């Protein structure tokens, strides 16, 4: 597994650019994959969440969508 601090450091430049943009919706998903000091590598069924060290697998994409989209859609519905 990977430490959350390491994942944050690795994404630092990217997150800095994204945060400087306006007129976009950013879906923060690091907390989904790194709910503690360590990041998840497998889902609860044992499926690998990453295709490589930079890309989600199909299972990882499903994991992200299942957890991130409901909150986003709820927020949009309230606007």
């Amino acid at each position: 597994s990977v430490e959350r601090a390491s994942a944050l450091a690795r994404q630092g430049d990217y997150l800095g650019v994204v945060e400087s943009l306006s007129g976009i919706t950013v879906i923060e998903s690091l907390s989904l994959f790194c709910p503690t000091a360590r990041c998840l590598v497998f889902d609860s069924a044992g499926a690998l969440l990453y295709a490589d060290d930079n890309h989600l697998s199909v299972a990882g994409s499903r994991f992200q969508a299942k957890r991130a989209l409901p909150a986003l859609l709820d927020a949009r519905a309230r606007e």
Side-chain angles (χ1 to χ4, degrees), residues 3-79:
E3 291 185 20
R4 181 183 174 96
S6 175
L8 278 171
R10 185 175 179 171
Q11 294 181 3
D13 290 340
Y14 163 78
L15 293 174
V17 170
V18 169
E19 289 173 3
S20 72
L21 301 174
S22 61
I24 64 168
T25 299
V26 177
I27 301 172
E28 189 283 313
S29 62
L30 187 64
S31 60
L32 301 174
F33 291 93
C34 306
T36 65
R38 307 230 29 109
C39 301
L40 302 173
V41 177
F42 299 96
D43 67 11
S44 61
L48 187 61
L49 297 174
Y50 299 91
D52 59 31
D53 62 351
N54 286 312
H55 300 93
L56 295 175
S57 64
V58 171
S61 295
R62 287 185 181 131
F63 177 91
Q64 181 178 37
K66 182 177 178 181
R67 287 157 181 80
L69 286 180
L72 177 65
L73 295 175
D74 286 345
R76 292 287 180 163
R78 286 178 282 193
E79 289 180 353

